[in-house]
Amino acid sequence: MEKHTKSKTEKLKLTFCGGVGAVTGANFLLEGAVQGHADKTLKLLVDCGLEQGTHEASEKNHRAFIYDPSQIDYLLVTHAHMDHIGKIPKLIKDGFEGVIYSTPETLELTRLMLADALKLTTQEAERNKVEALYDREDLNKVFTLWKTIPFHKDFNLAPGYDLYLKDAGHVLGSSMFELTYTAEGEDKKRKIVFTGDLGNSPTPLLRDTEEVTDADYLIMESVYGDRNHESRDVRLQKLEDVIEDNIARKGVLLIPVFSLEKTQELLYEIHKLFEKKQIPPVPVYLDSPLAIRLTEVYRKMSENFNEAARAEFHKHDLFKFPTLHVTESAEASQGISAAPSPKIIMAGSGMSNGGRIQRHEAHYLTDPNNTIVFIGYQSVGTMGRTIQSGAKEIQLFGNNIQVRAHIETIDGYSSHKDSDHLLEFVSFTEKTVKKVFVVMGETKASLFLVQRIRDYLGLNAVHPEEGDTVVLE
């Protein structure tokens, strides 16, 4: 066990430091007494993510944490998306010296995600003439503190605190943390479950989200708390239709992709459509250096796929097909515009808030023969949400761009559970759970899910506000 603070906390306290009232910025603090150490308090964080997508995001990310990072003993990381890991180097910079835990897959993916983010953070700081959120020294120190725990292994974190990881099915290595707490002199145990993000199971590649059946307290996501997705068959048919329609117009199909999970799932789906001759073999450009590197991690760790995907991968590479062009260099990326249409361009970022997709949008959105299709959640304030909402004109690189291309959305490719399946997830533990904290969603989505949990399951569900602290009796 690592160092602990001196002021004793008699009861288990949970503080919502981020990730409430918004999809991004997950950051939760749990504090409690340590068995056998009457004068000590354990302080544990779950996730430390960036605020993303809003005009205020940069300013909020630079603010001081509402706790003292030097007093935190542990950081548990649910998965490798930036809204869950993006401020870990800042946590180090501000004094954290505890231990970081995640699955081995999350560690490998995080190495790539944060290395890529360092470049963007540095460029943003230079552009805005402000201090960078963190530097390379802070980033390097992150991985000296990081240890891994596999799924389904009993792990004693500290006296009175036992940890168990279940598969969330959201991205490769994504986990739910089941923390079982036993107070000094008590036999009764309390199980606190942090879901992280919950996967839209079943998916082509990942194992299904595991059930939680015996939680006392549940801290859960709600990105799609107020709406449902299409089924897997419907989403695949929509993708096929969008591609066929675009080919018929001899247009360019733009797909803003999230580098982690969405890219790999979409490569698989397009590969299958070509393989079954359901669409003509047009060129596909994967134009994201980060997505290319993350796909290599997926290849290396393919044994962690679901049973069907593992069996397929043993026969052939799921992420490679004859018409796929991987454009890692800037020169190769710029050369895409010279390639004849029809063609498909997959580029980051997934919310069109930066990255190579913006250059393609500036070039292709003006043509009514072209199409842009959104396959992931678009946060309020992002360029993706603006285009998706039907804006006739956007501004990119200082120029006004007329939006004449077809705009499509396929919600079924979300990596998050929808409203019905979030409700179903809670129902598995309805006999034991005392309180459900609905977080990591826009306020309207979270409140909608809160009401559904109350109405359908009769449970005590709440949507806390940022900075709220509750005692877990």
Side-chain angles (χ1 to χ4, degrees), residues 186-207:
E186 292 184 9
D187 293 329
K188 180 175 174 56
K189 299 178 184 294
R190 277 168 277 183
K191 182 172 283 189
I192 303 99
V193 178
F194 295 88
T195 69
D197 288 341
L198 296 168
N200 182 21
S201 303
T203 73
L205 299 174
L206 303 179
R207 295 183 292 252

Side-chain angles (χ1 to χ4, degrees), residues 82-213:
M82 289 301 294
D83 57 331
H84 293 256
I85 62 170
K87 285 172 68 175
I88 296 177
K90 175 175 164 55
L91 191 73
I92 300 286
K93 181 179 183 178
D94 291 358
F96 174 77
E97 294 183 338
V99 180
I100 305 170
Y101 285 110
S102 77
T103 61
E105 299 89 345
T106 294
L107 171 56
E108 289 303 306
L109 294 167
T110 298
R111 289 185 194 277
L112 297 174
M113 295 289 285
L114 289 182
D116 184 76
L118 176 62
K119 294 182 293 184
L120 301 178
T121 298
T122 304
Q123 290 167 2
E124 180 187 36
E126 291 172 351
R127 190 167 54 248
N128 297 331
K129 295 180 172 52
V130 297
E131 183 182 1
L133 203 59
Y134 54 87
D135 60 25
R136 183 165 295 281
E137 185 178 344
D138 303 317
L139 177 58
N140 290 341
K141 189 175 178 181
V142 168
F143 301 106
T144 68
L145 304 177
W146 204 302
K147 299 180 181 179
T148 61
I149 306 172
F151 290 122
H152 312 139
K153 178 183 178 182
D154 292 316
F155 184 83
N156 180 249
L157 191 66
Y161 296 83
D162 294 307
L163 198 59
Y164 191 81
L165 277 63
K166 285 185 173 178
D167 197 334
H170 175 62
V171 301
L172 189 67
S174 58
S175 58
M176 296 178 280
F177 287 102
E178 293 189 343
L179 185 71
T180 302
Y181 171 71
T182 309
E184 183 79 36
E186 292 184 9
D187 293 329
K188 180 175 174 56
K189 299 178 184 294
R190 277 168 277 183
K191 182 172 283 189
I192 303 99
V193 178
F194 295 88
T195 69
D197 288 341
L198 296 168
N200 182 21
S201 303
T203 73
L205 299 174
L206 303 179
R207 295 183 292 252
D208 289 355
T209 305
E210 295 187 278
E211 295 178 7
V212 171
T213 60

Side-chain angles (χ1 to χ4, degrees), residues 321-371:
F321 43 90
T323 63
L324 178 64
H325 303 269
V326 173
T327 54
E328 189 159 3
S329 71
E331 184 180 9
S333 173
Q334 291 162 8
I336 295 173
S337 60
S341 301
K343 58 192 173 188
I344 299 171
I345 303 173
M346 299 168 54
S349 69
M351 296 185 192
S352 297
N353 242 30
R356 293 181 177 180
I357 191 65
Q358 287 197 335
R359 184 168 54 79
H360 297 302
E361 288 169 343
H363 189 70
Y364 291 114
L365 285 182
T366 57
D367 189 337
N369 290 318
N370 299 335
T371 306

